[in-house]
Amino acid sequence: MASTAPVIMRIMASSIQTAKRAGGIIRDVLKQGDLGIVDKGKNDPQTEADRSAQRCIIASLTKKFPGVKIIGEEGGSDLNVCDDWLVEDLDEEFLQKSCPAEWRDAKPEDFVIWVDPLDGTAEYTQGYVEHVTVLIGIAVKDAAVGGIIHQPFYQQPDGELGRTIWGLKGLGTGGFTHSLAPPGEFIITTTRSHSNALHQQALNAFPATKILKVGGAGFKVLQLLEGKAHAYLFATPGCKKWDTCAPEAVLEAQGGFLTDINGKNYSYNADVEHVNRQGVLASVGENHSELVYKIPRKVREAVGV
């Protein structure tokens, strides 16, 4: 079955299992106590968990899909990993699903996989571990079409840690229960730590009844998917393609939208600039374009200049 499945279905099925293993590594590093923190820049730490989880993900996916371009947040990785970090199996339940016709003939050279091995590193180091996600985004040519969002510290009803959410455009989503945000309110989720004057001007333009400040692009999009917020706004150039590829694919597979603050989708081919210079606006409703035009024009023109 696996050998005959379309490439995109095998990449998704492998990424589901690999994200779970990376989540285990992230929990193990925290349990050991020495996070091995290195500062990459202001509010941008890197830990041993980031480095190890990325090695696990890229080594595993490279071995299975040598013709696919993979770009990770932490740069080049040593692919000589222990057997315990090399994920060989695929998610059989996902492989049973029918591949959407538009992706059936996509070839390995059409794909780019964007990896954020630990989204929400600052929160991880500060003890807000529920904000942490593993993100594996799958682009076909320019478009984000598939994504995995794994939560290493999500506690299941039986006490088991970890939850894996997936989305594939044309197929749908899995791993969670979709809920709508409360009617009669307008809740925005936004950054905990990367605000500036332009971003605040954009926030002030919305009649928000509540603002949820959380860490990580993956966790912010989960607020939308689970009905805790109506929109996600980040009106400043801070996040990167590995932050948004997977969340965009999952959200849009559920019928939502993730664009820049001018309403344009980002491109995810291998040659694009990694920085999302025009910020992020995401929503779950049909009024996405209305939200774009609520952001003052001077903000939309100034962000990324």
Side-chain angles (χ1 to χ4, degrees):
M1 172 67 183
S3 61
T4 59
V7 177
I8 195 165
M9 300 301 283
R10 288 186 280 125
I11 292 176
M12 287 286 296
S14 180
S15 296
I16 289 169
Q17 296 300 89
T18 303
K20 292 177 184 177
R21 184 66 192 94
I25 292 170
I26 290 166
R27 290 192 299 270
D28 288 344
V29 172
L30 187 64
K31 194 182 302 180
Q32 290 162 10
D34 182 4
L35 299 185
I37 298 171
V38 175
D39 283 321
K40 296 191 293 182
K42 185 180 179 183
N43 293 325
D44 191 16
Q46 181 199 76
T47 70
E48 182 57 40
D50 296 80
R51 297 184 290 272
S52 296
Q54 176 159 305
R55 288 180 65 204
C56 162
I57 294 167
I58 295 185
S60 298
L61 294 179
T62 298
K63 184 173 181 181
K64 277 202 173 301
F65 308 102
V68 172
K69 176 73 172 178
I70 305 174
I71 301 173
E73 176 177 6
E74 311 308 337
S77 292
D78 178 5
L79 303 186
N80 293 311
V81 301
C82 60
D83 290 344
D84 187 45
W85 286 9
L86 205 56
V87 180
E88 302 276 6
D89 57 324
L90 288 80
D91 186 273
E92 293 297 333
E93 183 179 348
F94 183 84
L95 281 177
Q96 300 299 320
K97 300 182 183 300
S98 180
C99 180
E102 57 263 49
W103 318 127
R104 204 167 287 152
D105 298 324
K107 300 176 176 61
E109 58 268 26
D110 295 329
F111 290 89
V112 181
I113 300 176
W114 293 89
V115 176
D116 188 340
L118 198 167
D119 187 40
T121 301
E123 287 69 29
Y124 179 68
T125 65
Q126 295 162 9
Y128 299 102
V129 294
E130 69 276 10
H131 297 220
V132 170
T133 59
V134 177
L135 303 176
I136 303 177
I138 299 154
V140 176
K141 297 182 178 175
D142 276 341
V145 302
I148 314 300
I149 303 175
H150 176 74
Q151 295 176 276
F153 298 98
Y154 181 90
Q155 188 159 356
Q156 300 283 359
D158 63 1
E160 183 180 351
L161 287 178
R163 176 173 70 159
T164 307
I165 291 158
W166 60 264
L168 178 60
K169 291 183 185 178
L171 179 60
T173 58
F176 73 106
T177 301
H178 174 57
S179 299
L180 296 175
E185 295 186 55
F186 188 68
I187 303 169
I188 296 178
T189 186
T190 191
T191 180
R192 285 183 67 242
S193 55
H194 293 84
S195 187
N196 60 21
L198 279 174
H199 176 69
Q200 193 59 49
Q201 285 180 48
L203 272 180
N204 292 344
F206 290 91
T209 56
K210 186 177 182 181
I211 294 178
L212 297 177
K213 294 185 176 182
V214 304
F219 193 58
K220 291 181 185 72
V221 165
L222 287 177
Q223 307 308 299
L224 274 59
L225 290 166
E226 298 193 294
K228 297 173 183 174
H230 298 80
Y232 156 25
L233 177 64
F234 186 59
T236 188
C239 63
K240 315 288 197 307
K241 298 296 185 297
W242 43 72
D243 294 308
T244 54
C245 185
E248 177 179 332
V250 176
L251 184 60
E252 296 198 350
Q254 187 60 51
F257 303 88
L258 190 151
T259 66
D260 68 18
I261 63 170
N262 288 293
K264 297 179 181 177
N265 285 100
Y266 281 109
S267 292
Y268 292 95
N269 66 66
D271 299 319
V272 296
E273 182 185 21
H274 293 169
V275 176
N276 292 332
R277 294 208 173 270
Q278 299 296 317
V280 174
L281 178 66
S283 68
V284 289
E286 297 178 359
N287 63 339
H288 191 76
S289 60
E290 294 176 22
L291 299 181
V292 170
Y293 291 110
K294 281 188 181 293
I295 300 172
R297 177 179 288 182
K298 64 181 181 180
V299 174
R300 289 189 279 117
E301 291 175 348
V303 169
V305 173

